[in-house]
Amino acid sequence: MHYNPFKFLATLALSLLTLYSCGDSKDFSEPLPDVVDFNFHVRPILVQNCYLCHGPDVTSRKAGLRLDTYEGATAALKEEGYAIIPGNASNSKLVYRINHSAPDQIMPPPESNYKLTEREKALLEKWINQGAEWKDHWAFIKPENKQRNFEAKTIDALIDHKLQQKGLQKVPEANKSSLIRRVSYLITGLPPTPNDVEKFITDNSPNAYNKMVDNYLESPAYGERWARHWMDLVRYAETKGHEFDYQITGAYKYRDYLIRAFNDDIPYNQLLKEHLAGDLIEQRINTKTGSLESQLGTAFFAMGEGKHSPVDIKEEEATYIDNLIDVTSKTFQGLTVSCAKCHDHKFDPISAADYYAFYGIMESSRLGPIADISKETKQTAKEINDLKRYMKKMIGNQWSDLPIKTVVENSEENTEPITDTNYKNIGDFRSVDFDGWLSKGLAFGDQTTLGNPIIDKYSNKIKALDNGRASSTTYGKGHFGILQSPNFILEKNFIGVKARGKNSSIRIIIDNFQMIQNPIYGELEHKINDQNWKNYVFDISPWKGHKAYIEILPGQFKGHNYNLSDEAFIESEYAIVYDSVWPSEIDHTKPILSQEKINFATLEVSPNSIKKLNSALKKGNLPSSFPEIKGVKDSSDNLTQKLKTNGFYYGFTEGEAVNSQIFNRGNHNDLLEDEIPRRFLSALPLGEIPFQSKGSGRLELAEAMLNKDNPLTARVMTNRIWHHLFGKGIVETVDNFGLQGKLPSNPELLDYLAVNFQINGWSIKNLIREIVISEAFKRSTIRTEELSKKDPNNNYLASFPVRRIEAEAIRDGILVVTENLDSTMFGPPVKTYLTEFMQGRGRPNESGPLDGAGRRSIYQEVRRNFLDPMMVTFDRPIPFSTFGKRNITNVPAQSLTLMNDPFISEQAASMAEKLLAQKELSFDKKIEWIYKRTFSRKPTAEEVQKAEQFISKLEKMQPNNENEKSKEIEIWKDFCHSIFNLKEFIYLI
């Protein structure tokens, strides 16, 4: 063999480098751990530097090397050898390549712009030498609770243990003024009143702090505060944005539902079920109002953006469903499932098949208006139905003993169906049922009008039995309901519906497209305002090949906002599809058999039998007078008057089960052949089991998320609560528990909280309470030089983090301290105050009041195209996706807003007037009055002195021609305004 001295020297040098790097002698800022953990030390290095080319996505994988699995990382390489040989770093190609210096050999390659640090290289080498133990990603491992009890001292023990490990000294407890301000703002979003502060400070009992915490947890403002947090997750808005910023019908009802749910401490597992499948579970009843609550949870699906004239509605559906998947997966599982739309996830074990399994769930659901009704309304409807059944049974029992029964049954009926192939009947309502269509709401009931007795209102005699048709007048006019067809593919040129009605609608919903508007899509809707029977025609030739369903409903849409008048009703006999000319005769979808028997017990008969029975009635061969009918009818009419609808909201209801195909590279026009069954994520428990429901599978999805072995659901929500209380989650990336998310700063604490969250009935209030009464929460915000150096980001909570309060809390706090807050809860939003700069399409005709009518920020309208400038400036997120963690900026625009916003100036003037109305206050007491309200404390002597100097300067700046009273108000207004600009007012310190 030829000896090459240069190759020998290079090999020797590399071997020495490898040997040297495998030792622990290198001087790192933090020493290597005794045992290198795959999840907390190794995987983050691989994710950030290697997975893009050697991860789960086969389309981007290089050299056939896969480093996201043990099998892939230890498999034989094409170029000989093994990337990782457990226990043998020196012979592992991974170590060889990361320590190489040649540009064509070193990994990561120079063009990737990634470079491993010496510590990262040493960690990899030590891990391999220790056996290269592989673990599932930490978030996919079921949490374990090694602690016995769920209590604040356990929280502190786990935090203290971490502080000891890191060599950090915790700071003392904050003073009482700081504590009550902190608790009040973080639990209710409002500052404490001076009386509350005084009461807490003078209460020297051992449980004074706990009593104060419980008081705020029971405040109605608690629900308003935590509902607003949740609204960030579901991109809450009251308009759709885009061209004309159309309203979302009844969006505020969802907001009110959230406030009630948090105040009533509805268990989180129940809330999750209501959000994903509130229409499919037994309805939770509001004990105060009797309203049905659960289905309101599904309104979050309707909060997305929407275009009224997209060019490609299939693409619009794909965008709409992608947003639903994104929001649902991030909110409840802390995973970025939407990253798998075009290919398998680059980092997480989420495949494109997982994404399209979710896609089918959403595609199988239908968005539309839902009536907000009470338990009493539902019970009243049942009583009316019982009375109608009793009436039919009473009539049928008497008729069944008469000779006419035999005459009707033995009559020969037409058995030859019409053979016209130029049309297809897709809905025939002339028989007793709806021919497979879905009846939603109350209006259409559960069957057609076939066989219903028609009572003369004067004589109370039976005039005839009703012919079959779908009618929204089951309980009279003006009641809500929708009749929806199954899905079908548009193959012919026209849809025809025979109907009549008033102030009603028929709509063709293509690819789940709801925002039917001119100029492009106006032909997909007919407004029904003719009480005579008419044939309504829809030209659907431009959309051949698309899937669709038909919707028949009383009420009409204006600007995508649904309205139902008291006189609205609609009736239909059938719906067809055809190519050219409306057929002269429409056959029944169910052939009428000869000798069809009449069910006299329920008065269910065939259409032909109806004719014979009506003929017999007309001839007097059947009795038409029943003395009991008047009483039954009167009772039914009286009950009908009690049917109430408290408005409408948009939410999800069931459609037909659709298993989606995978879009090749995310292209909705390029579908792969196989359909993906609807199911949960394959990497999680139950994820491989297809859903069996005939509808969407949303309830099965909720149950899979709540499965006791699912490691994510409780962890994600627990972490969100911790984030809102401490300003940072135990997992800092609160919406991403995947491989690109941050590692938990205290995994044992997170698991302890998550397990006990479930054990203690998923109570959000209890979890908040236990965290808030902990020592960690009560610590001062003081930071020593040592803490700033060792733990600059305060990850381990040796002190309480200084944090700015949110936009809503700043505005609401100003209203509280100026005593201008209107604490009225619930109801339609206060219209947005429009500045002269807020222009554009969809601009409302009128502006709301500058002070928002004094209502809390949660009740101010959220218009996507006209967002409140102050809210945006102080980092309330733009509502397009899930934002569990708001940006926290400190920019000049915030100071400028506090200085120049007319709302702030107006409130400062109001505060000055209230201050000066108290004539008995000395100068020192005036300053104290202001400080107690704004900072929840008394001013120091130095602060009083500085205030006196500042006031003196303000007095000199006033014009001489002003009267004394106006001058004084202006001076104190400027002083109050300056207080609003201080950091202490907008920060918890």
Side-chain angles (χ1 to χ4, degrees), residues 25-37:
S25 59
K26 288 191 176 182
D27 185 20
F28 305 116
S29 59
E30 185 177 349
L32 297 183
D34 293 335
V35 177
V36 181
D37 182 272

Side-chain angles (χ1 to χ4, degrees), residues 525-539:
E525 178 184 48
H526 275 306
K527 296 188 185 299
I528 311 303
N529 279 303
D530 194 326
Q531 300 189 47
N532 297 312
W533 288 104
K534 281 183 63 175
N535 295 334
Y536 292 91
V537 178
F538 300 83
D539 182 357

Side-chain angles (χ1 to χ4, degrees), residues 4 11 30 53 123 229 368 410 548 560 645 651 720 724 755 851 869 972:
N4 185 331
T11 304
E30 185 177 349
C53 299
L123 280 169
H229 287 324
N410 293 333
H560 194 56
T645 297
R720 293 194 188 284
H724 290 308
V755 171
D851 68 345
W972 285 100

Side-chain angles (χ1 to χ4, degrees), residues 312 314-315 318-319 340-343 355-356 359 660-672:
D312 184 342
K314 182 62 180 174
E315 180 183 39
T319 301
K341 178 180 181 179
C342 305
H343 45 66
Y355 177 88
Y356 288 97
Y359 195 99
S660 176
Q661 296 163 275
I662 293 178
F663 298 177
N664 190 22
R665 296 184 177 275
N667 184 351
H668 64 283
N669 291 319
D670 185 4
L671 308 183
L672 300 184

Side-chain angles (χ1 to χ4, degrees), residues 491-504:
E491 296 173 333
K492 294 184 179 291
N493 292 325
F494 302 99
I495 289 176
V497 181
K498 185 176 182 181
R500 66 181 180 185
K502 183 178 181 181
N503 297 335
S504 295

Side-chain angles (χ1 to χ4, degrees), residues 98-318:
I98 65 175
N99 285 304
H100 213 292
S101 59
D104 62 339
Q105 292 292 314
I106 190 172
M107 288 291 163
E111 62 267 20
S112 71
N113 292 321
Y114 295 128
K115 187 177 181 180
L116 298 184
T117 66
E118 291 303 314
R119 187 174 191 277
E120 288 172 333
K121 292 176 185 178
L123 280 169
L124 290 171
E125 293 163 23
K126 187 170 183 178
W127 168 68
I128 293 172
N129 279 329
Q130 289 181 344
E133 181 188 6
W134 217 276
K135 295 179 181 178
D136 288 336
H137 178 50
W138 72 267
F140 295 136
I141 300 171
K142 185 179 177 181
E144 294 183 5
N145 182 12
K146 299 176 183 177
Q147 314 300 321
R148 292 184 178 179
N149 299 315
F150 182 42
E151 50 191 16
K153 65 182 180 182
T154 308
I155 294 174
D156 289 315
L158 290 168
I159 291 176
D160 290 350
H161 178 66
K162 187 66 71 173
L163 291 174
Q164 290 169 9
Q165 283 183 333
K166 300 295 179 181
L168 301 172
Q169 188 69 37
K170 56 190 178 184
V171 304
E173 185 175 296
N175 62 60
K176 277 193 162 186
S177 294
S178 294
L179 284 178
I180 189 171
R181 191 167 190 268
R182 181 184 302 171
V183 170
S184 182
Y185 262 116
L186 294 181
I187 290 182
T188 70
L190 301 173
T193 66
N195 287 339
D196 287 343
V197 175
E198 186 68 23
K199 182 179 177 182
F200 176 56
I201 289 176
T202 56
D203 186 348
N204 295 316
S205 63
N207 63 341
Y209 179 83
N210 289 11
K211 284 192 298 182
M212 180 265 290
V213 169
D214 290 339
N215 179 58
Y216 285 122
L217 282 171
E218 292 308 311
S219 165
Y222 158 81
E224 294 169 324
R225 164 74 169 176
W226 288 81
R228 183 56 252 188
H229 287 324
W230 187 265
M231 287 155 70
D232 282 358
L233 302 179
V234 298
R235 77 286 188 231
Y236 177 87
E238 280 139 347
T239 60
K240 285 287 186 181
H242 292 283
E243 300 96 330
F244 292 105
D245 211 18
Y246 287 119
Q247 281 187 301
I248 299 173
T249 298
Y252 74 90
K253 290 179 175 290
Y254 171 76
R255 173 250 287 155
D256 291 351
Y257 152 86
L258 286 178
I259 295 170
R260 291 192 296 267
F262 279 104
N263 275 333
D264 294 341
D265 198 24
I266 301 304
Y268 179 66
N269 58 343
Q270 175 71 14
L271 272 183
L272 185 150
K273 273 191 177 181
E274 291 180 354
H275 274 72
L276 296 182
D279 56 316
L280 304 175
I281 61 176
E282 183 178 351
Q283 293 296 294
R284 177 169 58 86
I285 310 299
N286 183 310
T287 54
K288 295 177 182 176
T289 65
S291 62
L292 305 181
E293 293 280 88
S294 299
Q295 193 163 357
L296 274 161
T298 70
F300 93 95
F301 286 113
M303 297 293 165
E305 298 173 274
K307 307 182 191 75
H308 84 281
S309 286
V311 175
D312 184 342
I313 54 176
K314 182 62 180 174
E315 180 183 39
E316 178 71 4
E317 180 188 36

Side-chain angles (χ1 to χ4, degrees), residues 374-635:
S374 66
K375 178 184 178 182
E376 181 183 3
T377 296
K378 201 170 183 179
Q379 180 61 33
T380 300
K382 182 181 180 299
E383 292 173 10
I384 294 170
N385 289 337
D386 290 343
L387 286 172
K388 289 184 175 182
R389 279 191 288 270
Y390 171 75
M391 188 188 301
K392 291 173 94 173
K393 184 178 180 181
M394 177 180 63
I395 296 167
N397 283 342
Q398 288 200 30
W399 286 359
S400 63
D401 296 329
L402 299 174
I404 189 66
K405 175 185 175 185
T406 305
V407 174
V408 173
E409 284 186 357
N410 293 333
S411 298
E412 288 296 321
E413 298 181 356
N414 178 25
T415 61
E416 293 296 324
I418 299 170
T419 57
D420 188 346
T421 59
N422 292 322
Y423 81 95
K424 181 180 178 182
N425 201 327
I426 55 174
D428 192 341
F429 316 125
R430 295 169 295 179
S431 295
V432 71
D433 61 29
F434 292 123
D435 199 17
W437 287 43
L438 302 172
S439 174
K440 299 175 179 180
L442 298 178
F444 290 94
D446 55 9
Q447 63 182 39
T448 70
T449 62
L450 187 68
N452 289 347
I454 300 173
I455 312 295
D456 184 275
K457 64 179 179 180
Y458 300 109
S459 65
N460 289 308
K461 291 184 178 181
I462 301 173
K463 295 195 297 182
L465 297 184
D466 212 340
N467 292 316
R469 65 189 182 281
S471 175
S472 71
T473 61
T474 300
Y475 306 103
K477 296 177 181 179
H479 294 293
F480 174 76
I482 303 178
L483 195 62
Q484 292 178 339
S485 75
N487 291 336
F488 59 96
I489 301 299
L490 299 176
E491 296 173 333
K492 294 184 179 291
N493 292 325
F494 302 99
I495 289 176
V497 181
K498 185 176 182 181
R500 66 181 180 185
K502 183 178 181 181
N503 297 335
S504 295
S505 307
I506 304 173
R507 310 199 308 161
I508 313 300
I509 310 298
I510 300 177
D511 294 328
N512 284 313
F513 179 68
Q514 287 284 328
M515 297 189 69
I516 298 169
Q517 302 284 340
N518 279 318
I520 302 178
Y521 302 106
E523 291 186 359
L524 297 179
E525 178 184 48
H526 275 306
K527 296 188 185 299
I528 311 303
N529 279 303
D530 194 326
Q531 300 189 47
N532 297 312
W533 288 104
K534 281 183 63 175
N535 295 334
Y536 292 91
V537 178
F538 300 83
D539 182 357
I540 40 88
S541 57
W543 294 282
K544 280 188 176 180
H546 290 253
K547 79 173 182 298
Y549 63 89
I550 305 171
E551 202 168 67
I552 300 173
L553 70 163
Q556 294 183 342
F557 296 84
K558 183 178 181 181
H560 194 56
N561 199 29
Y562 175 75
N563 292 288
L564 179 66
S565 70
D566 291 340
E567 296 300 313
F569 81 96
I570 189 168
E571 297 183 325
S572 177
E573 287 192 348
Y574 53 78
I576 59 173
V577 289
Y578 62 98
D579 274 328
S580 56
V581 179
W582 190 293
S584 58
E585 189 173 354
I586 307 296
D587 190 17
H588 287 267
T589 54
K590 297 178 180 178
I592 300 168
L593 303 177
S594 61
Q595 298 185 355
E596 183 177 358
K597 291 187 177 180
I598 302 171
N599 185 345
F600 278 95
T602 58
L603 219 57
E604 288 183 9
V605 295
S606 70
N608 275 16
S609 297
I610 283 285
K611 295 176 184 176
K612 296 175 177 59
L613 288 171
N614 284 339
S615 176
L617 266 171
K618 191 174 183 180
K619 294 175 182 177
N621 295 333
L622 283 175
S624 61
S625 181
F626 294 84
E628 294 181 51
I629 277 185
K630 185 179 186 308
V632 174
K633 185 175 179 297
D634 288 346
S635 296

Side-chain angles (χ1 to χ4, degrees), residues 752-967:
Y752 162 73
L753 293 171
V755 171
N756 282 282
F757 184 39
Q758 299 173 72
I759 291 173
N760 288 279
W762 301 87
S763 169
I764 294 172
K765 271 191 182 181
N766 284 347
L767 179 57
I768 292 172
R769 184 181 191 278
E770 296 307 322
I771 294 172
V772 169
I773 66 174
S774 68
E775 287 181 12
F777 184 87
K778 292 187 281 186
R779 286 186 190 125
S780 167
T781 57
I782 295 170
R783 297 284 289 166
T784 64
E785 186 176 339
E786 182 185 14
L787 286 178
S788 298
K789 182 178 179 182
K790 287 186 174 181
D791 184 18
N793 296 319
N794 199 14
N795 290 326
Y796 304 107
L797 300 175
S799 63
F800 190 82
V802 174
R803 53 182 301 190
R804 200 198 72 213
I805 57 178
E806 301 88 343
E808 296 91 338
I810 293 171
R811 179 186 173 276
D812 296 349
I814 289 172
L815 288 171
V816 169
V817 301
T818 59
E819 299 178 355
N820 289 323
L821 180 71
D822 180 349
S823 59
T824 302
M825 299 179 71
F826 310 128
V830 180
K831 291 181 182 296
T832 300
Y833 172 72
L834 299 170
T835 70
E836 60 181 306
F837 303 105
M838 297 168 71
Q839 300 294 332
R841 299 176 92 178
R843 190 181 196 269
N845 294 327
E846 58 180 295
S847 171
L850 174 63
D851 68 345
R855 301 282 302 282
R856 284 196 73 171
S857 299
I858 195 172
Y859 301 114
Q860 306 301 309
E861 190 175 41
V862 183
R863 299 190 71 89
R864 275 193 163 94
N865 286 4
F866 301 92
L867 296 171
D868 186 299
M870 181 179 175
M871 296 294 110
V872 174
T873 301
F874 282 97
D875 303 317
R876 189 171 74 184
I878 308 299
F880 64 86
S881 186
T882 295
F883 285 94
K885 178 183 177 182
R886 292 186 178 187
N887 292 328
I888 303 175
T889 61
N890 187 7
V891 295
Q894 293 167 356
S895 296
L896 291 169
T897 295
L898 289 174
M899 285 193 290
N900 300 312
D901 191 286
F903 164 74
I904 309 290
S905 179
E906 180 184 75
Q907 293 303 311
S910 175
M911 189 174 191
E913 289 172 1
K914 290 183 173 69
L915 171 67
L916 295 175
Q918 302 181 68
K919 306 292 185 181
E920 75 284 0
L921 294 181
S922 65
F923 179 85
D924 289 8
K925 288 297 181 181
K926 286 177 180 176
I927 302 301
E928 183 178 311
W929 187 89
I930 294 171
Y931 268 59
K932 279 184 174 181
R933 280 156 180 74
T934 53
F935 302 143
S936 304
R937 65 175 177 84
K938 293 180 180 180
T940 64
E942 183 183 4
E943 287 170 328
V944 173
Q945 183 182 5
K946 287 183 177 180
E948 192 170 9
Q949 293 169 357
F950 183 44
I951 291 289
S952 178
K953 288 181 180 179
L954 291 174
E955 287 173 343
K956 293 175 183 177
M957 295 169 62
Q958 294 300 310
N960 293 325
N961 57 353
E962 288 282 337
N963 66 58
E964 287 303 313
K965 184 177 181 181
S966 298
K967 277 185 183 181

